[in-house]
Amino acid sequence: MKMKASISSTILAGLLLYPVVLLLQLAPLNVNAADADPLMDFCVADLTKDLYLNGYPCKKPAAVTTDDFVFYGLTVPPQTNNSFGASAVFGFVGNFPGLNSLGISIARLDFAQGGLIPPHTHPRGSEIIYVLEGSLYAGFVTADNQLFAKVINKGDVMIFPRGLIHFQLNVGDGPAQAVVSLNSQHAGFQLIANSMFGSNIKDEVLQKTFFLDQKTVDRLKTIFS
């Protein structure tokens, strides 16, 4: 009798556990990184290889130097004497080979008074911004067109979720500067206006989307192409 009771208990426990195991097997795998996790300590990009990959091939470890992990590009301020009064210097894997496979990158933003980094997206990464100097009106728009925006000042930090349209406008009394980091070695940088009017989309699409006449479309295409 004791043996039968033990067997029955085992069967019952198995029946109770089966749905739990099944749910665990069917549950979606949560991935928190924008880029794939590395499989080694580092994979410094070999930019000389003529290969088309999702990322870059690795340098041989013997050819790697400390300078592969150091980026000097942020020491030179970008020019802000352009139509937007702002500019950025990116430390992406293409000019900072040590980032390859690590899922991070960095950029410096400089603004003249009233300067603007226009609405844009990073298709492959979320962004976090740290204001070094000045005051920025910064924000992003969600997929259901809800705006999250406010003025951020020196020392403030703000995040812009992956793929969402966002912007930064200098609203201070002088120049402004910020540093941003992204969780991708090459997050991409897609300006909304340039994508629409600088990509040879058929004029009829632009006219019907933005309710524009042909003359205005032609003018905007000249500006942004």
Side-chain angles (χ1 to χ4, degrees), residues 92-120:
F92 283 173
V93 66
N95 57 0
F96 191 0
L99 295 178
N100 196 40
S101 81
L102 298 183
I104 54 173
S105 57
I106 193 167
R108 169 178 171 165
L109 310 181
D110 282 77
F111 304 79
Q113 188 173 352
L116 169 71
I117 300 291
H120 63 280

Side-chain angles (χ1 to χ4, degrees), residues 38-225:
L39 301 177
M40 56 189 80
D41 288 343
F42 56 80
C43 171
V44 173
D46 188 341
L47 304 177
T48 66
K49 296 292 185 183
D50 188 19
L51 296 174
Y52 192 75
L53 302 171
N54 186 23
Y56 290 90
C58 306
K59 274 187 179 182
K60 292 181 178 180
V64 173
T65 69
T66 302
D67 279 343
D68 288 317
F69 302 102
V70 180
F71 181 60
Y72 303 98
L74 302 191
T75 61
V76 180
Q79 296 296 315
T80 58
N81 57 342
N82 53 55
S83 56
F84 292 115
S87 193
V89 174
F90 292 100
F92 283 173
V93 66
N95 57 0
F96 191 0
L99 295 178
N100 196 40
S101 81
L102 298 183
I104 54 173
S105 57
I106 193 167
R108 169 178 171 165
L109 310 181
D110 282 77
F111 304 79
Q113 188 173 352
L116 169 71
I117 300 291
H120 63 280
T121 70
H122 303 293
R124 295 178 293 276
S126 298
E127 173 183 332
I128 185 166
I129 184 171
Y130 174 72
V131 181
L132 294 172
E133 198 64 49
S135 299
L136 301 173
Y137 174 64
F140 62 90
V141 181
T142 66
D144 58 359
N145 295 324
Q146 184 176 3
L147 174 66
F148 291 89
K150 70 174 303 178
V151 175
I152 53 176
N153 303 295
K154 181 178 180 179
D156 291 342
V157 173
M158 187 173 183
I159 57 172
F160 308 104
R162 177 181 177 179
L164 296 186
I165 297 172
H166 59 284
F167 56 86
Q168 297 97 17
L169 170 68
N170 182 6
V171 293
D173 296 328
Q177 187 183 109
V179 170
V180 304
S181 183
L182 304 105
N183 67 332
S184 171
Q185 67 182 32
H186 196 288
F189 181 73
Q190 186 173 26
L191 289 164
I192 304 306
N194 298 64
S195 296
M196 292 291 96
F197 296 97
S199 60
N200 294 319
I201 293 177
K202 192 174 178 67
D203 288 356
E204 185 179 357
V205 174
L206 299 173
Q207 290 171 359
K208 291 183 175 180
T209 300
F210 298 105
F211 303 99
L212 302 174
D213 56 38
Q214 184 62 52
K215 183 178 180 180
T216 303
V217 169
D218 290 340
R219 183 173 64 85
L220 291 173
K221 290 181 77 171
T222 299
I223 293 171
F224 293 107
S225 61

